[in-house]
Amino acid sequence: MSSADATLAWRALVTAASEPYQRAGRFAWHFARGKLRWDPVFGHLIARGLIAPRTRVLDIGCGQGLLASLLAAAAQAARQGRWPSDWAAAPVEVRVSGIELRERDVARARDALGDGIDIVCADMRTAEFAAVDTVVILDVLHYVSIAEQDAVLARVRAALPTGGRLVMRIGDAAARPRFLASAWVDRLVNLSRGQGFGRFVGRPLAAWRARLAELGFAVTSEPMHAGTPFANVLLVATVEPGADTPAAGS
Ligand SMILES: C[S@@+](CC[C@H](N)C(=O)[O-])C[C@H]1O[C@@H](n2cnc3c(N)ncnc32)[C@H](O)[C@@H]1O
């Protein structure tokens, strides 16, 4: 398949990954389609191969399980030979588990993807993290305090082997007013869902990078907010050889 077909291939993936959410109701289906279409991070993860084939993935704050559905649709497309040549290796035989705080999202994930989906309704601050190859945390850590963010990150590091990867999107608090736009939109979404005003705890990109480096990660970052007014940045952090496993809470 040529690169000219990549756009068509991505559209087909969005359709296939959203389709199961019809079983979870109109909101879940429209939300899945909208999020996959308009949020640049999902296409980026797939085209760049940030989820490697034959790996175990933990998606923290997984919402209604969109990433799991997308990876399943991607594996199916690859098996059928529908994989653009300029995309990285397809995420075949990936095992995804998820942690999500909100019962309603967990129920939607199960309605859409079946009871066999490995998702627990739990708080990332206390949930156990199984040993995996890749941890994904997209737009989640800002809901907890800096100390709690650090404790989660230390436990993520402990769950990963050398060469393991953390893929995390954060808001860059140094990039005002974009960061403030993210905070207000997030608060309005929380309010509309009846969840109160919510918290939005950020730090500058340099501080995120420094914290991850202290934990023994080699870090790359790139803006991940195309088409939005936000200050979102994608961090890809890889456990360096020889990095000590930090004590939990350090
Ligand atoms: C902005 S949404 C992002 C969902 C998903 N990661 C994505 O990118 O589509 C943040 C998610 O994190 C969840 N969340 C917030 N605090 C959490 C916590 N303490 N433990 C687990 N999940 C949490 C929310 O319920 C919500 O589903």
Side-chain angles (χ1 to χ4, degrees), residues 185-235:
V185 169
D186 200 80
R187 285 171 173 150
L188 291 174
V189 169
N190 278 339
L191 271 181
S192 72
R193 289 176 165 177
Q195 296 170 273
F197 215 48
R199 251 202 285 204
F200 203 92
V201 181
R203 43 183 141 179
L205 175 58
W208 284 110
R209 292 188 61 123
R211 182 65 193 131
L212 290 170
E214 282 165 15
L215 289 170
F217 287 103
V219 187
T220 64
S221 62
E222 62 183 299
M224 196 51 60
H225 52 68
T228 75
F230 307 140
N232 291 338
V233 176
L234 190 70
L235 297 163

